Amino acid sequence: FANHCPQYFSNNAADYLVITVDDQGSGFEVTRNTFGLTFAGIAALYMVIDVAWILAVWSAACMGTPTEPMGRDEYLRPLLIFKIFAVNIFPILLLVFGVLQIAATRKDNYGCFEETPVYYPDKGAMYALFSILLVTYALELLIWPTIITNKVIRY
């Protein structure tokens, strides 16, 4: 049981890891709940790639002059295509992963089954930051359809 469940305290499990046991298959399979570590790792990797992409765009945008910007197109187009098709996979993955994790966490009364949780995991500051990240990723993904729609309407 998780530490927000009353069963956690009744078992005096302060020194144990929170694990999930699957006894439906052949034998027992013990897995650790690594959602936070996985989400933070993918988010950190995305942030590093996105910062590198921003620096590359900034470097390419500095080429030429305001009256003669034609030299920068050959560098900016591949960077924009890379952002649209390769880098945007990370926020999509993080958004889907986060929403699925929230749905899975709320099943069975936050994993406490029939007992009322001592506290709700989605009421704290970390959950608020997690929610802000999910909204930020969703808004960032909505920028590209907006740009494409704007281009289609103009031409």
Side-chain angles (χ1 to χ4, degrees):
F1 296 100
N3 62 354
H4 57 269
C5 296
Q7 298 96 326
Y8 178 82
F9 298 107
S10 65
N11 292 332
N12 196 13
D15 297 328
Y16 298 106
L17 291 173
V18 177
I19 59 174
T20 303
V21 177
D22 178 22
D23 59 353
Q24 301 298 323
S26 59
F28 286 102
E29 180 182 330
V30 179
T31 57
R32 222 177 137 180
N33 186 0
T34 59
F35 168 73
L37 184 62
T38 305
F39 188 87
I42 295 172
L45 178 65
Y46 169 64
M47 185 186 75
V48 168
I49 292 172
D50 202 37
V51 168
W53 179 82
I54 288 169
L55 291 174
V57 168
W58 180 54
S59 176
C62 291
M63 300 180 91
T65 64
T67 58
E68 294 181 24
M70 298 310 262
R72 56 184 102 151
D73 280 351
E74 68 179 288
Y75 299 106
L76 286 176
R77 285 180 197 266
L79 286 171
L80 291 174
I81 291 170
F82 176 72
K83 172 74 173 183
I84 292 171
F85 294 112
V87 179
N88 277 346
I89 291 172
F90 288 101
I92 292 170
L93 180 68
L94 288 166
L95 192 62
V96 169
F97 192 47
V99 168
L100 290 177
Q101 181 62 26
I102 290 171
T105 301
R106 292 182 178 177
K107 277 186 183 176
D108 298 324
N109 198 19
Y110 298 91
C112 299
F113 302 104
E114 65 276 345
E115 298 287 329
T116 303
V118 176
Y119 66 91
Y120 292 94
D122 58 358
K123 298 287 185 193
M126 291 306 289
Y127 184 80
L129 290 173
F130 172 71
S131 299
I132 290 169
L133 271 177
L134 289 182
V135 169
T136 304
Y137 293 144
L139 289 174
E140 185 174 347
L141 288 171
L142 288 175
I143 289 174
W144 293 106
T146 303
I147 291 172
I148 292 168
T149 304
N150 188 22
K151 292 291 184 184
V152 168
I153 290 172
R154 283 189 174 188
Y155 296 109

